[in-house]
Amino acid sequence: MSTLKLKLEVHGIDRSGISQKSGKPYVTHFAFAHLPGVPYPQEVSIYGGEKGLANGHYEVPYRIKVTDEGRAISLLMDVANATPVASAPRSSAA
């Protein structure tokens, strides 16, 4: 079985603070996810953990979880194991 990887572009911090439950810092990022079969990147807010991620392009391992007796599907990203990748060159408009 192969590991599923999602291309993610991180563009800054959406929210940050201290968790009331654990008392630890947290960061959520403003990002764009390149979903398979979808022609345009989708805006997402992702949990970055305590340290967060630097702005840039990443490949993030993920898994799909089916819940609620098969009625709901969740995409779970493993941001802690995100791998930085070079950004794709942008084509210039003619």
Side-chain angles (χ1 to χ4, degrees):
M1 184 168 126
S2 63
T3 301
L4 300 170
K5 293 203 176 191
L6 186 67
K7 291 182 182 174
L8 193 67
E9 297 175 37
V10 175
H11 288 280
I13 294 175
D14 184 27
R15 288 183 308 252
S16 64
I18 304 295
S19 168
Q20 289 182 348
K21 197 173 197 179
S22 68
K24 294 182 179 180
Y26 73 90
V27 175
T28 55
H29 293 286
F30 170 69
F32 289 94
H34 296 264
L35 302 173
V38 178
Y40 303 105
Q42 302 298 301
E43 183 178 333
V44 296
S45 179
I46 61 163
Y47 177 71
E50 292 181 30
K51 297 187 305 180
L53 297 169
N55 289 355
H57 296 255
Y58 296 88
E59 279 190 345
V60 181
Y62 72 97
R63 63 188 172 95
I64 297 170
K65 181 178 180 182
V66 179
T67 59
D68 196 24
E69 297 179 7
R71 292 187 291 259
I73 296 175
S74 299
L75 181 93
L76 305 170
M77 292 184 280
D78 184 6
V79 178
N81 289 310
T83 305
V85 295
S87 62
R90 295 183 184 228
S91 60
S92 60

